[in-house]
Amino acid sequence: ILKLGNARMRLGEITEALAAYTRGLELDPENAATHYAVGGICASRSDARLARHHLELAIRFSEDPDLTREAKDVLRRIEGF
Protein backbone atom coordinates (compact mmCIF):
# COMPACT_ATOMS: atom_id res chain seq x y z
CA ILE A 1 0.00 0.00 0.00
CA LEU A 2 2.97 2.31 0.60
CA LYS A 3 3.95 1.83 -3.06
CA LEU A 4 0.42 2.72 -4.16
CA GLY A 5 0.53 5.89 -2.08
CA ASN A 6 3.94 6.79 -3.50
CA ALA A 7 2.67 6.21 -7.05
CA ARG A 8 -0.31 8.47 -6.38
CA MET A 9 2.02 11.15 -5.02
CA ARG A 10 4.17 10.99 -8.17
CA LEU A 11 1.00 11.53 -10.21
CA GLY A 12 0.05 14.52 -8.05
CA GLU A 13 -2.99 12.70 -6.67
CA ILE A 14 -2.51 13.86 -3.09
CA THR A 15 -5.97 12.94 -1.77
CA GLU A 16 -5.71 9.44 -3.20
CA ALA A 17 -2.17 9.08 -1.86
CA LEU A 18 -3.31 10.10 1.62
CA ALA A 19 -6.14 7.55 1.43
CA ALA A 20 -3.68 4.80 0.47
CA TYR A 21 -1.27 5.77 3.25
CA THR A 22 -4.11 5.87 5.78
CA ARG A 23 -5.16 2.38 4.75
CA GLY A 24 -1.55 1.28 5.06
CA LEU A 25 -1.39 2.59 8.62
CA GLU A 26 -4.55 0.67 9.48
CA LEU A 27 -2.75 -2.50 8.36
CA ASP A 28 0.68 -1.61 9.79
CA PRO A 29 0.46 1.19 12.37
CA GLU A 30 4.20 1.08 13.05
CA ASN A 31 5.33 1.66 9.47
CA ALA A 32 7.77 4.56 9.77
CA ALA A 33 7.88 5.32 6.04
CA THR A 34 4.11 5.64 5.86
CA HIS A 35 4.00 7.91 8.90
CA TYR A 36 6.71 10.01 7.28
CA ALA A 37 4.71 10.27 4.05
CA VAL A 38 1.53 11.27 5.89
CA GLY A 39 3.50 13.78 7.95
CA GLY A 40 4.87 15.31 4.77
CA ILE A 41 1.41 15.68 3.26
CA CYS A 42 0.09 17.25 6.45
CA ALA A 43 3.05 19.64 6.58
CA SER A 44 2.43 20.68 2.98
CA ARG A 45 -1.18 21.41 3.95
CA SER A 46 -0.02 23.52 6.92
CA ASP A 47 -1.53 21.08 9.41
CA ALA A 48 1.36 21.31 11.85
CA ARG A 49 -0.36 19.38 14.63
CA LEU A 50 -1.08 16.30 12.52
CA ALA A 51 2.25 16.56 10.69
CA ARG A 52 4.09 16.63 14.02
CA HIS A 53 2.13 13.58 15.23
CA HIS A 54 3.02 11.47 12.19
CA LEU A 55 6.62 12.65 11.99
CA GLU A 56 7.19 11.85 15.65
CA LEU A 57 5.80 8.35 15.04
CA ALA A 58 8.04 7.99 11.99
CA ILE A 59 11.03 8.81 14.16
CA ARG A 60 9.92 6.45 16.92
CA PHE A 61 9.40 3.47 14.60
CA SER A 62 12.20 4.10 12.11
CA GLU A 63 15.21 1.84 11.86
CA ASP A 64 16.51 3.85 8.90
CA PRO A 65 18.85 6.68 9.92
CA ASP A 66 18.16 8.58 6.69
CA LEU A 67 14.40 8.51 7.22
CA THR A 68 14.89 9.56 10.85
CA ARG A 69 17.08 12.48 9.82
CA GLU A 70 14.62 13.59 7.15
CA ALA A 71 11.67 13.38 9.56
CA LYS A 72 13.59 15.48 12.09
CA ASP A 73 14.38 18.03 9.37
CA VAL A 74 10.70 18.36 8.45
CA LEU A 75 9.79 18.67 12.13
CA ARG A 76 12.25 21.53 12.52
CA ARG A 77 10.73 23.29 9.49
CA ILE A 78 7.15 22.98 10.71
CA GLU A 79 8.05 24.43 14.08
CA GLY A 80 8.08 27.75 12.21
CA PHE A 81 4.38 27.50 11.26
Side-chain angles (χ1 to χ4, degrees), residues 1-79:
I1 297 213
L2 178 61
K3 289 181 182 181
L4 174 61
N6 292 343
R8 295 288 195 172
M9 284 295 292
R10 283 191 298 279
L11 293 171
E13 299 172 352
I14 308 302
T15 301
E16 294 83 355
L18 186 57
Y21 293 139
T22 300
R23 178 68 179 134
L25 289 174
E26 290 170 0
L27 298 172
D28 183 5
E30 295 185 4
N31 186 299
T34 305
H35 280 292
Y36 175 75
V38 172
I41 290 172
C42 294
S44 72
R45 292 181 169 182
S46 298
D47 187 343
R49 183 193 61 80
L50 197 53
R52 186 176 299 109
H53 169 76
H54 283 285
L55 292 166
E56 287 174 351
L57 289 173
I59 292 164
R60 180 184 313 160
F61 298 131
S62 178
E63 296 179 3
D64 177 352
D66 292 331
L67 188 143
T68 300
R69 186 190 74 256
E70 291 173 21
K72 287 180 179 180
D73 289 346
V74 175
L75 268 176
R76 279 191 285 277
R77 284 197 305 271
I78 66 171
E79 294 301 320

